[in-house]
PDB file of all heavy atoms in Angstrom:
ATOM      1  N   LEU A   1      22.801 -52.426  45.257  1.00  0.00           N
ATOM      2  CA  LEU A   1      24.157 -51.961  44.979  1.00  0.00           C
ATOM      3  C   LEU A   1      24.963 -53.102  44.367  1.00  0.00           C
ATOM      4  O   LEU A   1      25.060 -54.186  44.948  1.00  0.00           O
ATOM      5  CB  LEU A   1      24.802 -51.466  46.274  1.00  0.00           C
ATOM      6  CG  LEU A   1      26.121 -50.707  46.214  1.00  0.00           C
ATOM      7  CD1 LEU A   1      26.248 -49.806  47.440  1.00  0.00           C
ATOM      8  CD2 LEU A   1      27.310 -51.657  46.191  1.00  0.00           C
ATOM      9  N   PHE A   2      25.528 -52.851  43.176  1.00  0.00           N
ATOM     10  CA  PHE A   2      26.441 -53.792  42.532  1.00  0.00           C
ATOM     11  C   PHE A   2      27.848 -53.216  42.635  1.00  0.00           C
ATOM     12  O   PHE A   2      28.094 -52.090  42.201  1.00  0.00           O
ATOM     13  CB  PHE A   2      26.086 -53.995  41.061  1.00  0.00           C
ATOM     14  CG  PHE A   2      24.757 -54.658  40.839  1.00  0.00           C
ATOM     15  CD1 PHE A   2      23.676 -53.933  40.353  1.00  0.00           C
ATOM     16  CD2 PHE A   2      24.584 -56.002  41.110  1.00  0.00           C
ATOM     17  CE1 PHE A   2      22.446 -54.537  40.141  1.00  0.00           C
ATOM     18  CE2 PHE A   2      23.357 -56.627  40.908  1.00  0.00           C
ATOM     19  CZ  PHE A   2      22.293 -55.888  40.427  1.00  0.00           C
ATOM     20  N   LEU A   3      28.768 -54.007  43.179  1.00  0.00           N
ATOM     21  CA  LEU A   3      30.137 -53.548  43.376  1.00  0.00           C
ATOM     22  C   LEU A   3      31.099 -54.574  42.802  1.00  0.00           C
ATOM     23  O   LEU A   3      30.903 -55.787  42.979  1.00  0.00           O
ATOM     24  CB  LEU A   3      30.413 -53.355  44.874  1.00  0.00           C
ATOM     25  CG  LEU A   3      31.808 -52.871  45.270  1.00  0.00           C
ATOM     26  CD1 LEU A   3      32.023 -51.423  44.815  1.00  0.00           C
ATOM     27  CD2 LEU A   3      32.016 -52.978  46.780  1.00  0.00           C
ATOM     28  N   GLY A   4      32.141 -54.117  42.118  1.00  0.00           N
ATOM     29  CA  GLY A   4      33.146 -55.020  41.578  1.00  0.00           C
ATOM     30  C   GLY A   4      34.321 -54.245  41.024  1.00  0.00           C
ATOM     31  O   GLY A   4      34.210 -53.050  40.725  1.00  0.00           O
ATOM     32  N   HIS A   5      35.460 -54.928  40.890  1.00  0.00           N
ATOM     33  CA  HIS A   5      36.587 -54.290  40.215  1.00  0.00           C
ATOM     34  C   HIS A   5      36.305 -54.178  38.724  1.00  0.00           C
ATOM     35  O   HIS A   5      36.681 -53.198  38.083  1.00  0.00           O
ATOM     36  CB  HIS A   5      37.868 -55.095  40.448  1.00  0.00           C
ATOM     37  CG  HIS A   5      38.330 -55.067  41.867  1.00  0.00           C
ATOM     38  ND1 HIS A   5      38.569 -56.204  42.592  1.00  0.00           N
ATOM     39  CD2 HIS A   5      38.580 -54.038  42.716  1.00  0.00           C
ATOM     40  CE1 HIS A   5      38.958 -55.880  43.819  1.00  0.00           C
ATOM     41  NE2 HIS A   5      38.960 -54.570  43.917  1.00  0.00           N
ATOM     42  N   THR A   6      35.658 -55.206  38.168  1.00  0.00           N
ATOM     43  CA  THR A   6      35.164 -55.151  36.800  1.00  0.00           C
ATOM     44  C   THR A   6      33.645 -55.075  36.850  1.00  0.00           C
ATOM     45  O   THR A   6      33.033 -55.324  37.884  1.00  0.00           O
ATOM     46  CB  THR A   6      35.602 -56.387  36.007  1.00  0.00           C
ATOM     47  OG1 THR A   6      35.098 -57.558  36.658  1.00  0.00           O
ATOM     48  CG2 THR A   6      37.119 -56.476  35.925  1.00  0.00           C
ATOM     49  N   ARG A   7      33.067 -54.756  35.719  1.00  0.00           N
ATOM     50  CA  ARG A   7      31.608 -54.682  35.645  1.00  0.00           C
ATOM     51  C   ARG A   7      31.118 -55.792  34.723  1.00  0.00           C
ATOM     52  O   ARG A   7      31.609 -55.935  33.593  1.00  0.00           O
ATOM     53  CB  ARG A   7      31.152 -53.327  35.112  1.00  0.00           C
ATOM     54  CG  ARG A   7      29.634 -53.180  35.011  1.00  0.00           C
ATOM     55  CD  ARG A   7      29.249 -51.783  34.565  1.00  0.00           C
ATOM     56  NE  ARG A   7      29.644 -50.794  35.557  1.00  0.00           N
ATOM     57  CZ  ARG A   7      29.639 -49.480  35.355  1.00  0.00           C
ATOM     58  NH1 ARG A   7      29.267 -49.007  34.166  1.00  0.00           N
ATOM     59  NH2 ARG A   7      30.006 -48.652  36.301  1.00  0.00           N
ATOM     60  N   SER A   8      30.182 -56.583  35.196  1.00  0.00           N
ATOM     61  CA  SER A   8      29.628 -57.629  34.347  1.00  0.00           C
ATOM     62  C   SER A   8      28.860 -56.984  33.197  1.00  0.00           C
ATOM     63  O   SER A   8      28.357 -55.858  33.298  1.00  0.00           O
ATOM     64  CB  SER A   8      28.704 -58.540  35.154  1.00  0.00           C
ATOM     65  OG  SER A   8      27.528 -57.854  35.540  1.00  0.00           O
ATOM     66  N   VAL A   9      28.785 -57.701  32.081  1.00  0.00           N
ATOM     67  CA  VAL A   9      28.067 -57.177  30.919  1.00  0.00           C
ATOM     68  C   VAL A   9      26.584 -57.031  31.243  1.00  0.00           C
ATOM     69  O   VAL A   9      25.908 -56.131  30.717  1.00  0.00           O
ATOM     70  CB  VAL A   9      28.289 -58.095  29.706  1.00  0.00           C
ATOM     71  CG1 VAL A   9      27.627 -57.529  28.468  1.00  0.00           C
ATOM     72  CG2 VAL A   9      29.776 -58.279  29.444  1.00  0.00           C
ATOM     73  N   GLU A  10      26.056 -57.887  32.124  1.00  0.00           N
ATOM     74  CA  GLU A  10      24.651 -57.772  32.517  1.00  0.00           C
ATOM     75  C   GLU A  10      24.381 -56.458  33.250  1.00  0.00           C
ATOM     76  O   GLU A  10      23.376 -55.784  32.981  1.00  0.00           O
ATOM     77  CB  GLU A  10      24.255 -58.958  33.407  1.00  0.00           C
ATOM     78  CG  GLU A  10      24.096 -60.273  32.678  1.00  0.00           C
ATOM     79  CD  GLU A  10      25.426 -60.960  32.400  1.00  0.00           C
ATOM     80  OE1 GLU A  10      26.470 -60.450  32.842  1.00  0.00           O
ATOM     81  OE2 GLU A  10      25.408 -62.011  31.741  1.00  0.00           O
ATOM     82  N   VAL A  11      25.266 -56.088  34.165  1.00  0.00           N
ATOM     83  CA  VAL A  11      25.076 -54.818  34.877  1.00  0.00           C
ATOM     84  C   VAL A  11      25.301 -53.646  33.937  1.00  0.00           C
ATOM     85  O   VAL A  11      24.610 -52.616  34.038  1.00  0.00           O
ATOM     86  CB  VAL A  11      26.021 -54.753  36.096  1.00  0.00           C
ATOM     87  CG1 VAL A  11      26.007 -53.368  36.716  1.00  0.00           C
ATOM     88  CG2 VAL A  11      25.615 -55.784  37.142  1.00  0.00           C
ATOM     89  N   GLU A  12      26.243 -53.782  33.005  1.00  0.00           N
ATOM     90  CA  GLU A  12      26.468 -52.709  32.035  1.00  0.00           C
ATOM     91  C   GLU A  12      25.209 -52.453  31.207  1.00  0.00           C
ATOM     92  O   GLU A  12      24.867 -51.302  30.919  1.00  0.00           O
ATOM     93  CB  GLU A  12      27.632 -53.060  31.123  1.00  0.00           C
ATOM     94  CG  GLU A  12      27.906 -52.055  30.016  1.00  0.00           C
ATOM     95  CD  GLU A  12      28.243 -50.663  30.526  1.00  0.00           C
ATOM     96  OE1 GLU A  12      28.745 -50.534  31.668  1.00  0.00           O
ATOM     97  OE2 GLU A  12      27.990 -49.685  29.796  1.00  0.00           O
ATOM     98  N   ARG A  13      24.490 -53.500  30.834  1.00  0.00           N
ATOM     99  CA  ARG A  13      23.230 -53.312  30.100  1.00  0.00           C
ATOM    100  C   ARG A  13      22.226 -52.530  30.945  1.00  0.00           C
ATOM    101  O   ARG A  13      21.543 -51.629  30.445  1.00  0.00           O
ATOM    102  CB  ARG A  13      22.644 -54.670  29.711  1.00  0.00           C
ATOM    103  CG  ARG A  13      21.396 -54.570  28.827  1.00  0.00           C
ATOM    104  CD  ARG A  13      20.713 -55.913  28.663  1.00  0.00           C
ATOM    105  NE  ARG A  13      20.004 -56.307  29.875  1.00  0.00           N
ATOM    106  CZ  ARG A  13      18.759 -55.952  30.167  1.00  0.00           C
ATOM    107  NH1 ARG A  13      18.069 -55.186  29.326  1.00  0.00           N
ATOM    108  NH2 ARG A  13      18.187 -56.335  31.292  1.00  0.00           N
ATOM    109  N   LEU A  14      22.149 -52.859  32.227  1.00  0.00           N
ATOM    110  CA  LEU A  14      21.219 -52.151  33.106  1.00  0.00           C
ATOM    111  C   LEU A  14      21.602 -50.687  33.258  1.00  0.00           C
ATOM    112  O   LEU A  14      20.732 -49.812  33.368  1.00  0.00           O
ATOM    113  CB  LEU A  14      21.180 -52.841  34.477  1.00  0.00           C
ATOM    114  CG  LEU A  14      20.631 -54.270  34.494  1.00  0.00           C
ATOM    115  CD1 LEU A  14      20.845 -54.902  35.870  1.00  0.00           C
ATOM    116  CD2 LEU A  14      19.158 -54.292  34.131  1.00  0.00           C
ATOM    117  N   VAL A  15      22.897 -50.407  33.264  1.00  0.00           N
ATOM    118  CA  VAL A  15      23.350 -49.016  33.347  1.00  0.00           C
ATOM    119  C   VAL A  15      22.985 -48.265  32.070  1.00  0.00           C
ATOM    120  O   VAL A  15      22.491 -47.125  32.113  1.00  0.00           O
ATOM    121  CB  VAL A  15      24.874 -48.966  33.603  1.00  0.00           C
ATOM    122  CG1 VAL A  15      25.397 -47.538  33.454  1.00  0.00           C
ATOM    123  CG2 VAL A  15      25.200 -49.496  34.995  1.00  0.00           C
ATOM    124  N   GLU A  16      23.196 -48.905  30.928  1.00  0.00           N
ATOM    125  CA  GLU A  16      22.963 -48.217  29.662  1.00  0.00           C
ATOM    126  C   GLU A  16      21.485 -47.956  29.397  1.00  0.00           C
ATOM    127  O   GLU A  16      21.139 -46.977  28.730  1.00  0.00           O
ATOM    128  CB  GLU A  16      23.577 -49.020  28.520  1.00  0.00           C
ATOM    129  CG  GLU A  16      25.106 -49.039  28.563  1.00  0.00           C
ATOM    130  CD  GLU A  16      25.719 -49.650  27.319  1.00  0.00           C
ATOM    131  OE1 GLU A  16      24.981 -49.923  26.348  1.00  0.00           O
ATOM    132  OE2 GLU A  16      26.953 -49.860  27.315  1.00  0.00           O
ATOM    133  N   ILE A  17      20.600 -48.814  29.903  1.00  0.00           N
ATOM    134  CA  ILE A  17      19.167 -48.561  29.705  1.00  0.00           C
ATOM    135  C   ILE A  17      18.595 -47.668  30.792  1.00  0.00           C
ATOM    136  O   ILE A  17      17.398 -47.355  30.787  1.00  0.00           O
ATOM    137  CB  ILE A  17      18.361 -49.876  29.628  1.00  0.00           C
ATOM    138  CG1 ILE A  17      18.388 -50.616  30.965  1.00  0.00           C
ATOM    139  CG2 ILE A  17      18.861 -50.756  28.495  1.00  0.00           C
ATOM    140  CD1 ILE A  17      17.511 -51.862  30.996  1.00  0.00           C
ATOM    141  N   GLY A  18      19.433 -47.258  31.758  1.00  0.00           N
ATOM    142  CA  GLY A  18      18.994 -46.338  32.799  1.00  0.00           C
ATOM    143  C   GLY A  18      18.317 -46.984  33.989  1.00  0.00           C
ATOM    144  O   GLY A  18      17.802 -46.277  34.854  1.00  0.00           O
ATOM    145  N   TRP A  19      18.317 -48.306  34.061  1.00  0.00           N
ATOM    146  CA  TRP A  19      17.683 -48.984  35.191  1.00  0.00           C
ATOM    147  C   TRP A  19      18.570 -48.954  36.433  1.00  0.00           C
ATOM    148  O   TRP A  19      18.079 -48.996  37.559  1.00  0.00           O
ATOM    149  CB  TRP A  19      17.358 -50.421  34.808  1.00  0.00           C
ATOM    150  CG  TRP A  19      16.446 -51.125  35.756  1.00  0.00           C
ATOM    151  CD1 TRP A  19      16.753 -52.167  36.567  1.00  0.00           C
ATOM    152  CD2 TRP A  19      15.064 -50.844  36.002  1.00  0.00           C
ATOM    153  NE1 TRP A  19      15.659 -52.556  37.309  1.00  0.00           N
ATOM    154  CE2 TRP A  19      14.596 -51.754  36.979  1.00  0.00           C
ATOM    155  CE3 TRP A  19      14.170 -49.901  35.489  1.00  0.00           C
ATOM    156  CZ2 TRP A  19      13.292 -51.747  37.442  1.00  0.00           C
ATOM    157  CZ3 TRP A  19      12.862 -49.905  35.958  1.00  0.00           C
ATOM    158  CH2 TRP A  19      12.444 -50.818  36.921  1.00  0.00           C
ATOM    159  N   VAL A  20      19.892 -48.881  36.241  1.00  0.00           N
ATOM    160  CA  VAL A  20      20.865 -48.791  37.334  1.00  0.00           C
ATOM    161  C   VAL A  20      21.698 -47.534  37.124  1.00  0.00           C
ATOM    162  O   VAL A  20      22.130 -47.247  36.002  1.00  0.00           O
ATOM    163  CB  VAL A  20      21.770 -50.043  37.372  1.00  0.00           C
ATOM    164  CG1 VAL A  20      22.917 -49.854  38.361  1.00  0.00           C
ATOM    165  CG2 VAL A  20      20.956 -51.286  37.729  1.00  0.00           C
ATOM    166  N   ARG A  21      21.915 -46.790  38.204  1.00  0.00           N
ATOM    167  CA  ARG A  21      22.688 -45.548  38.118  1.00  0.00           C
ATOM    168  C   ARG A  21      24.143 -45.816  38.456  1.00  0.00           C
ATOM    169  O   ARG A  21      24.456 -46.463  39.454  1.00  0.00           O
ATOM    170  CB  ARG A  21      22.116 -44.505  39.087  1.00  0.00           C
ATOM    171  CG  ARG A  21      22.885 -43.180  39.102  1.00  0.00           C
ATOM    172  CD  ARG A  21      22.167 -42.138  39.942  1.00  0.00           C
ATOM    173  NE  ARG A  21      22.164 -42.459  41.355  1.00  0.00           N
ATOM    174  CZ  ARG A  21      23.100 -42.045  42.226  1.00  0.00           C
ATOM    175  NH1 ARG A  21      24.127 -41.314  41.804  1.00  0.00           N
ATOM    176  NH2 ARG A  21      23.002 -42.366  43.508  1.00  0.00           N
ATOM    177  N   GLU A  22      25.033 -45.315  37.606  1.00  0.00           N
ATOM    178  CA  GLU A  22      26.458 -45.440  37.859  1.00  0.00           C
ATOM    179  C   GLU A  22      26.919 -44.345  38.816  1.00  0.00           C
ATOM    180  O   GLU A  22      26.636 -43.159  38.598  1.00  0.00           O
ATOM    181  CB  GLU A  22      27.244 -45.343  36.550  1.00  0.00           C
ATOM    182  CG  GLU A  22      28.747 -45.470  36.722  1.00  0.00           C
ATOM    183  CD  GLU A  22      29.480 -45.402  35.400  1.00  0.00           C
ATOM    184  OE1 GLU A  22      28.888 -44.911  34.418  1.00  0.00           O
ATOM    185  OE2 GLU A  22      30.653 -45.828  35.347  1.00  0.00           O
ATOM    186  N   VAL A  23      27.601 -44.740  39.887  1.00  0.00           N
ATOM    187  CA  VAL A  23      28.154 -43.777  40.845  1.00  0.00           C
ATOM    188  C   VAL A  23      29.647 -43.643  40.547  1.00  0.00           C
ATOM    189  O   VAL A  23      30.405 -44.604  40.740  1.00  0.00           O
ATOM    190  CB  VAL A  23      27.935 -44.238  42.296  1.00  0.00           C
ATOM    191  CG1 VAL A  23      28.554 -43.247  43.267  1.00  0.00           C
ATOM    192  CG2 VAL A  23      26.449 -44.406  42.587  1.00  0.00           C
ATOM    193  N   PRO A  24      30.103 -42.490  40.077  1.00  0.00           N
ATOM    194  CA  PRO A  24      31.516 -42.353  39.697  1.00  0.00           C
ATOM    195  C   PRO A  24      32.444 -42.491  40.905  1.00  0.00           C
ATOM    196  O   PRO A  24      32.127 -42.069  42.014  1.00  0.00           O
ATOM    197  CB  PRO A  24      31.589 -40.940  39.111  1.00  0.00           C
ATOM    198  CG  PRO A  24      30.174 -40.557  38.808  1.00  0.00           C
ATOM    199  CD  PRO A  24      29.331 -41.271  39.803  1.00  0.00           C
ATOM    200  N   ALA A  25      33.587 -43.099  40.651  1.00  0.00           N
ATOM    201  CA  ALA A  25      34.612 -43.224  41.686  1.00  0.00           C
ATOM    202  C   ALA A  25      35.555 -42.031  41.609  1.00  0.00           C
ATOM    203  O   ALA A  25      35.858 -41.526  40.530  1.00  0.00           O
ATOM    204  CB  ALA A  25      35.399 -44.516  41.498  1.00  0.00           C
ATOM    205  N   VAL A  26      36.001 -41.576  42.764  1.00  0.00           N
ATOM    206  CA  VAL A  26      36.979 -40.487  42.828  1.00  0.00           C
ATOM    207  C   VAL A  26      38.099 -40.900  43.780  1.00  0.00           C
ATOM    208  O   VAL A  26      37.881 -41.632  44.743  1.00  0.00           O
ATOM    209  CB  VAL A  26      36.335 -39.168  43.312  1.00  0.00           C
ATOM    210  CG1 VAL A  26      35.314 -38.677  42.302  1.00  0.00           C
ATOM    211  CG2 VAL A  26      35.679 -39.337  44.671  1.00  0.00           C
ATOM    212  N   LYS A  27      39.302 -40.477  43.472  1.00  0.00           N
ATOM    213  CA  LYS A  27      40.471 -40.691  44.326  1.00  0.00           C
ATOM    214  C   LYS A  27      40.841 -42.167  44.490  1.00  0.00           C
ATOM    215  O   LYS A  27      41.432 -42.563  45.481  1.00  0.00           O
ATOM    216  CB  LYS A  27      40.267 -40.058  45.716  1.00  0.00           C
ATOM    217  CG  LYS A  27      40.062 -38.559  45.686  1.00  0.00           C
ATOM    218  CD  LYS A  27      39.868 -38.008  47.089  1.00  0.00           C
ATOM    219  CE  LYS A  27      39.636 -36.506  47.064  1.00  0.00           C
ATOM    220  NZ  LYS A  27      39.415 -35.943  48.421  1.00  0.00           N
ATOM    221  N   HIS A  28      40.443 -43.001  43.512  1.00  0.00           N
ATOM    222  CA  HIS A  28      40.904 -44.382  43.531  1.00  0.00           C
ATOM    223  C   HIS A  28      42.275 -44.467  42.870  1.00  0.00           C
ATOM    224  O   HIS A  28      42.483 -43.938  41.777  1.00  0.00           O
ATOM    225  CB  HIS A  28      39.931 -45.292  42.781  1.00  0.00           C
ATOM    226  CG  HIS A  28      38.690 -45.591  43.559  1.00  0.00           C
ATOM    227  ND1 HIS A  28      37.698 -46.425  43.088  1.00  0.00           N
ATOM    228  CD2 HIS A  28      38.266 -45.175  44.783  1.00  0.00           C
ATOM    229  CE1 HIS A  28      36.724 -46.507  43.980  1.00  0.00           C
ATOM    230  NE2 HIS A  28      37.046 -45.753  45.006  1.00  0.00           N
ATOM    231  N   VAL A  29      43.213 -45.116  43.529  1.00  0.00           N
ATOM    232  CA  VAL A  29      44.544 -45.312  42.964  1.00  0.00           C
ATOM    233  C   VAL A  29      44.528 -46.615  42.184  1.00  0.00           C
ATOM    234  O   VAL A  29      44.410 -47.694  42.755  1.00  0.00           O
ATOM    235  CB  VAL A  29      45.620 -45.361  44.072  1.00  0.00           C
ATOM    236  CG1 VAL A  29      46.998 -45.597  43.460  1.00  0.00           C
ATOM    237  CG2 VAL A  29      45.597 -44.072  44.883  1.00  0.00           C
ATOM    238  N   ARG A  30      44.629 -46.531  40.861  1.00  0.00           N
ATOM    239  CA  ARG A  30      44.528 -47.740  40.049  1.00  0.00           C
ATOM    240  C   ARG A  30      45.851 -48.495  40.064  1.00  0.00           C
ATOM    241  O   ARG A  30      46.930 -47.898  40.215  1.00  0.00           O
ATOM    242  CB  ARG A  30      44.136 -47.397  38.621  1.00  0.00           C
ATOM    243  CG  ARG A  30      45.217 -46.677  37.834  1.00  0.00           C
ATOM    244  CD  ARG A  30      44.690 -46.214  36.495  1.00  0.00           C
ATOM    245  NE  ARG A  30      45.768 -45.720  35.644  1.00  0.00           N
ATOM    246  CZ  ARG A  30      45.576 -45.003  34.549  1.00  0.00           C
ATOM    247  NH1 ARG A  30      44.342 -44.672  34.197  1.00  0.00           N
ATOM    248  NH2 ARG A  30      46.602 -44.613  33.818  1.00  0.00           N
ATOM    249  N   PRO A  31      45.816 -49.820  39.891  1.00  0.00           N
ATOM    250  CA  PRO A  31      47.055 -50.609  39.861  1.00  0.00           C
ATOM    251  C   PRO A  31      47.942 -50.233  38.676  1.00  0.00           C
ATOM    252  O   PRO A  31      47.462 -49.803  37.620  1.00  0.00           O
ATOM    253  CB  PRO A  31      46.538 -52.049  39.721  1.00  0.00           C
ATOM    254  CG  PRO A  31      45.128 -52.011  40.212  1.00  0.00           C
ATOM    255  CD  PRO A  31      44.616 -50.656  39.857  1.00  0.00           C
ATOM    256  N   ARG A  32      49.244 -50.429  38.847  1.00  0.00           N
ATOM    257  CA  ARG A  32      50.219 -50.131  37.782  1.00  0.00           C
ATOM    258  C   ARG A  32      50.447 -51.405  36.971  1.00  0.00           C
ATOM    259  O   ARG A  32      51.351 -52.191  37.255  1.00  0.00           O
ATOM    260  CB  ARG A  32      51.527 -49.614  38.386  1.00  0.00           C
ATOM    261  CG  ARG A  32      52.557 -49.167  37.351  1.00  0.00           C
ATOM    262  CD  ARG A  32      53.598 -48.267  37.983  1.00  0.00           C
ATOM    263  NE  ARG A  32      54.416 -48.968  38.949  1.00  0.00           N
ATOM    264  CZ  ARG A  32      55.593 -49.553  38.663  1.00  0.00           C
ATOM    265  NH1 ARG A  32      56.063 -49.522  37.421  1.00  0.00           N
ATOM    266  NH2 ARG A  32      56.297 -50.141  39.607  1.00  0.00           N
ATOM    267  N   VAL A  33      49.591 -51.603  35.969  1.00  0.00           N
ATOM    268  CA  VAL A  33      49.640 -52.817  35.155  1.00  0.00           C
ATOM    269  C   VAL A  33      50.595 -52.609  33.990  1.00  0.00           C
ATOM    270  O   VAL A  33      50.511 -51.604  33.274  1.00  0.00           O
ATOM    271  CB  VAL A  33      48.237 -53.193  34.646  1.00  0.00           C
ATOM    272  CG1 VAL A  33      48.293 -54.472  33.815  1.00  0.00           C
ATOM    273  CG2 VAL A  33      47.272 -53.355  35.814  1.00  0.00           C
TER     274      VAL A  33
END
C-alpha cells in the first residue's frame, strides 16, 4: 500500500502500467487553497 497526499512519479508509473491498482477516494474534504 502506497499512501500520500501527493503521488510520486514512480508510483504513478506503476499505476499507469497496471502493476499497482488505484483505490479511489470518496468523501474526502479537500483543502481550500
Side-chain angles (χ1 to χ4, degrees):
L1 191 155
F2 294 108
L3 180 68
H5 292 126
T6 59
R7 180 176 296 168
S8 69
V9 184
E10 286 80 4
V11 171
E12 176 60 26
R13 185 190 74 87
L14 295 172
V15 170
E16 292 189 8
I17 66 175
W19 193 248
V20 171
R21 178 173 68 92
E22 180 179 19
V23 178
V26 295
K27 299 180 181 179
H28 284 182
V29 179
R30 70 187 189 195
R32 185 161 66 93
V33 181

